[in-house]
Amino acid sequence: MIQKGLKGIVAAETLISHIDGENGRLFYRGYEIREITKGFSFEETAYLLWFGHLPDEEQLSALKDELKSNRELPEYVKVAIDQLPPAMDLMSVIRTAISAEGGQLDYGWKPSVSQAIRLTALVPTIIAYRKRFLEGQSFFPPRSDLDFVGNYLYMLNGKVPITAHIEALEIYMILTLEHGMNASTFSARVTASTESDLVSAITSAVGTMKGPLHGGAPSGVIELLDEIAMVGDAEKVIREKVLRGEKLMGFGHRVYKTHDPRAVALKAKLMELVGENEWLDLAMTVENTAVKLLAELKPGRLLYTNVEFYAAAIMKAINMDAKLFTPTFTASRMVGWTAHVLEQAENNTIYRPQSKYIGIHNKS
Ligand code: ACO
């Protein structure tokens, strides 16, 4: 029997995260995500995912130092980025820059946590460096007095961000650090299962993340909301799209058959951050209308907002350019990908499913 899209197939055992899709719950290393977003920082959560336990003060400080000391791009990576055509999309730039980073340093088998930390530290710098380069502006070098998320926002804008913006982005980044065997993580694990290096596994993952059905969805959410704002009739736009067989970006999930807990947490943060706001009102109207219409037009499919729907709204609230949404998702998901590659390497079997030939036999 063929399981299209490998739906429902369990491909590996993992200790990293658990998704309870029926009840809309997500756990990192046994800690429920809503508890994590209440009290932990990006770095503490990354530590938890990489090492399997929460850090003490000394371990946390050592991780922060290691991330900071790996933020600078090597000259050859900068040169590689500078050479790329200006029209190249940012996800392809990240994929290429990571590949270039792997060109000179030793990323051979087996992958290590220090390689994982280095690659994770570099991605925000790659994004900011390319953004400033395209704007024809000089790059704002990383600041060692700022932690991961604050420094990322600083490198993008050249201003020390306000606490509310750091908090909003940090919640988003924590919520998207890891999510089981999603398409990009699977991609990373497949590449690692051949005993290829961490850089190759991560470039596979970045390429997979780029697609609109996975990490590319937030920009699609903005387009959907803009179109609805222009037409002024959410029901009409949504109904027509669904009847045409289009997918509504930011809705539906392979695993969650109820509310995505990440969308719930982001929505709550957004309400706290912006309160009464025209744009948030529009997002909530679209959510309510779409959920109602999807229940009518796609009965029994259980379609609700996913993390990307309110991610787009959070990014909009902190004035982040839509082009940076998927790259920012990538910057956080680096932690999950690398944790999975490390886990794969510890107990490796090459992934090699089969296909069923349905063409003609004995052509001649
Ligand atoms: N809008 C309209 N209909 C939808 C949507 C949607 N967003 N999502 C699923 N459906 C419908 C499908 O058309 C299908 O209907 P059918 O049975 O009549 O053919 C049914 O619901 C089941 O859909 P599948 O595509 O089989 O569900 P699957 O689990 O394969 O897909 C996915 C999940 C890819 C997320 C899908 O819901 C989708 O494309 N959503 C829009 C893109 C998006 O928001 N992606 C971000 C996901 S979160 C993340 O990657 C971080």
Side-chain angles (χ1 to χ4, degrees), residues 7 213-214 247-248 250-252 254 298 301 306 308:
K7 269 190 189 183
L213 296 190
H214 188 11
K247 295 266 181 78
L248 292 180
F251 291 84
R254 175 62 66 83
K298 297 270 173 188
R301 308 308 196 285
N306 59 48
E308 299 304 345

Side-chain angles (χ1 to χ4, degrees), residues 66-101:
E66 196 171 343
L67 282 164
K68 285 176 184 172
S69 66
N70 279 288
R71 279 175 185 166
E72 296 280 352
L73 293 180
E75 233 11 76
Y76 59 90
V77 175
K78 288 187 189 165
V79 171
I81 296 175
D82 293 351
Q83 302 288 321
L84 298 171
M88 191 172 191
D89 68 89
L90 206 36
M91 288 300 286
S92 301
V93 171
I94 297 172
R95 194 192 57 225
T96 311
I98 290 175
S99 205
E101 152 73 10

Side-chain angles (χ1 to χ4, degrees), residues 7 179 182 209 212-215 217 221 242 245-255 257 260 262 294 297-298 301 303 306-308 329 333:
K7 269 190 189 183
H179 208 231
N182 54 84
M209 171 69 111
L213 296 190
H214 188 11
V221 174
V242 178
E246 274 179 45
K247 295 266 181 78
L248 292 180
M249 290 296 140
F251 291 84
H253 197 275
R254 175 62 66 83
V255 185
K257 296 306 164 206
D260 177 340
R262 303 166 302 168
L294 286 166
L297 301 170
K298 297 270 173 188
R301 308 308 196 285
L303 299 165
N306 59 48
V307 66
E308 299 304 345
F329 184 2
R333 187 52 63 83

Side-chain angles (χ1 to χ4, degrees), residues 103-211:
Q104 295 212 4
L105 299 180
D106 178 19
Y107 280 100
W109 187 260
K110 277 169 126 183
S112 65
V113 185
S114 51
Q115 291 174 359
I117 292 171
R118 173 161 177 81
L119 289 180
T120 304
L122 285 179
V123 173
T125 318
I126 294 170
I127 298 168
Y129 181 82
R130 178 67 174 180
K131 174 183 181 281
R132 298 291 295 168
F133 176 80
L134 287 180
E135 292 167 351
Q137 304 288 338
S138 55
F139 169 64
F140 300 113
R143 275 178 58 151
S144 58
D145 58 329
L146 295 172
D147 285 341
F148 194 92
V149 178
N151 175 64
Y152 175 42
L153 283 172
Y154 167 76
M155 289 190 298
L156 291 175
N157 305 314
K159 281 190 262 158
V160 175
I162 59 168
T163 311
H165 286 185
I166 299 180
E167 277 179 14
L169 186 61
E170 187 150 9
I171 287 244
Y172 166 73
M173 294 187 82
I174 290 171
L175 287 166
T176 50
L177 280 172
E178 153 62 12
H179 208 231
M181 196 63 96
N182 54 84
S184 54
T185 301
F186 183 50
S187 217
R189 285 189 80 132
V190 169
T191 304
S193 80
T194 67
E195 296 195 2
S196 184
D197 55 277
L198 183 63
V199 163
S200 301
I202 297 305
T203 53
S204 299
V206 175
T208 308
M209 171 69 111
K210 187 183 153 184

